[in-house]
Amino acid sequence: MKTPGRRKTAAATAREWAVVTGDGKSCLEEITKQGLVQRTGLSTRDLRVVDPVLSYPSSIIGRERAIVVNLEHIKAIVTASEVFLSNSRDPLVEPVQKELESRLAGDTQKGGQESTNDVPRGGTTKPLPFEFRALELCLELASKRLEIEVRDELEHLLDDDVDMAFLHLSEKLAYQASVGQSSRFDFYKQPPQSDEESDGSGHDIESEVLTEKDEENENETVIGFRPNLDELEMLLEAYFVQSEGILNQLTTLREYVDDTEDYINIMLDDKQNQLLQMGVMLSTATMIISIGITIVGLLGMNIHISLFEVPPSVTFWETVGGVIGGSIGLFIIVLAYYKRRKLL
């Protein structure tokens, strides 16, 4: 019998996930880490990648029964029949959940025949499996909030066939059902050679095989599972080209913004220089006027000098003309000095 303390501890480790099924239906579930490990086959180390509390670089990781998607605000686990969205209460994640619901429901109604990345095989159109359609939606929504990590991850996947092969969940499940085994898969790094390429001893040259070691028991098995990578490669290439185009546009826009900023700074400096020149001219004019005011103030004093004994009308206009002419002349001399010193 479990104690209340143990039940409280187990409940405290549960986290809310938005679960979207293949028919577009969704619900919120409280799932513990152990429960999620049992439903997806992931390890607790893989679950840390989609933990909203932790910060991991953008990545797409293929595992035995699930795909771990960590792209910008999208942290999801994709299986062959369900999508688990982490941090579903986040305002950035709610539109992702609604888009997954509507798009997957639409694909179910149309029989999945109108996927944008379907490829013809033998004259017929084969619909993409559920995990590819869910991955396509995550890539499409993440492309709207593009960062450089998304482009690098797509380029990494396109360059590595083994990583792309791990994303084929439906074909792996079908292969497991056909051979009646559930062990981990290994992939041929190159196709088997024909009889003509056998060595001199009469034995065929062994195909080079990349064997993945089980993380728990280190057992190695070779099953010869060879998924068709054309569909996934076309899907990833489409969004790689889109990401590359967006990156080029952002780079061009950034250069345009930098050039515009430099041009605006040049204009501001020019205006600032003009204002400084005007300030110098006004300060000089104020100084000259102050000198004239000082002279007028001295002449207005109530003192007896010979200048006041001449006829007033003649003396007044001569004084006014002399003060104004002297002020203007002094102002011109000062401006010429500024020009000579290249201050203006």
Side-chain angles (χ1 to χ4, degrees), residues 61 78 89 121 132 190 219 262 264 269 317 332 335:
I61 306 173
V78 181
R89 301 292 184 179
R121 284 186 177 180
F132 286 178
Q190 59 185 16
N219 291 330
D262 294 339
I264 292 176
D269 292 341
W317 291 113
I332 293 175
L335 290 182

Side-chain angles (χ1 to χ4, degrees), residues 108-127:
T108 301
Q109 296 175 358
K110 298 174 184 179
Q113 298 296 326
E114 297 185 6
S115 179
T116 58
N117 288 293
D118 290 345
V119 294
R121 284 186 177 180
T124 60
T125 302
K126 179 183 177 181

Side-chain angles (χ1 to χ4, degrees), residues 222-234:
V222 178
I223 303 181
F225 175 69
R226 292 177 51 79
N228 191 336
L229 303 180
D230 293 340
E231 292 178 344
L232 181 59
E233 189 168 358
M234 292 180 64

Side-chain angles (χ1 to χ4, degrees), residues 13 17 30-42 47 65 84:
T13 59
W17 293 80
E30 293 284 343
I31 309 176
T32 62
K33 284 188 176 181
Q34 187 62 30
L36 198 61
V37 168
Q38 295 176 355
R39 293 177 64 172
T40 62
L42 298 174
L47 295 180
R65 292 164 46 197
F84 298 84

Side-chain angles (χ1 to χ4, degrees), residues 291-303:
I291 294 175
I293 293 174
T294 302
I295 295 174
V296 172
L298 291 174
L299 295 177
M301 296 177 67
N302 189 14
I303 57 177

Side-chain angles (χ1 to χ4, degrees), residues 132-256:
F132 286 178
R133 286 184 282 132
L135 179 60
E136 180 184 16
L137 286 174
C138 292
L139 289 170
E140 180 181 340
L141 296 174
S143 296
K144 297 178 181 179
R145 299 177 59 87
L146 178 68
E147 284 195 1
I148 190 65
E149 293 86 354
V150 179
R151 173 184 174 275
D152 290 343
E153 183 62 24
L154 290 178
E155 185 176 10
H156 169 73
L157 284 175
L158 288 172
D159 292 339
D160 196 330
D161 291 346
V162 176
D163 286 348
M164 286 196 295
F166 272 109
L167 305 183
H168 285 261
L169 305 181
S170 299
E171 292 191 23
K172 286 195 291 187
L173 291 176
Y175 187 85
Q176 283 181 328
S178 64
V179 300
Q181 299 184 19
S182 60
S183 58
R184 302 183 67 86
F185 292 96
D186 305 292
F187 306 96
Y188 283 107
K189 195 172 183 180
Q190 59 185 16
Q193 297 175 344
S194 61
D195 295 338
E196 290 80 7
E197 298 175 349
S198 61
D199 58 8
S201 61
H203 299 286
D204 292 340
I205 299 176
E206 296 181 355
S207 301
E208 184 176 2
V209 179
L210 176 64
T211 304
E212 177 177 353
K213 296 181 179 179
D214 192 289
E215 296 178 359
E216 298 178 356
N217 54 22
E218 299 296 325
N219 291 330
E220 299 181 356
T221 59
V222 178
I223 303 181
F225 175 69
R226 292 177 51 79
N228 191 336
L229 303 180
D230 293 340
E231 292 178 344
L232 181 59
E233 189 168 358
M234 292 180 64
L235 185 152
L236 295 177
E237 281 181 350
Y239 285 95
F240 179 77
V241 172
Q242 180 180 352
S243 302
E244 185 73 18
I246 295 176
L247 181 61
N248 292 335
Q249 292 179 3
L250 292 177
T251 303
T252 304
L253 182 60
R254 181 176 180 179
E255 293 177 355
Y256 175 76

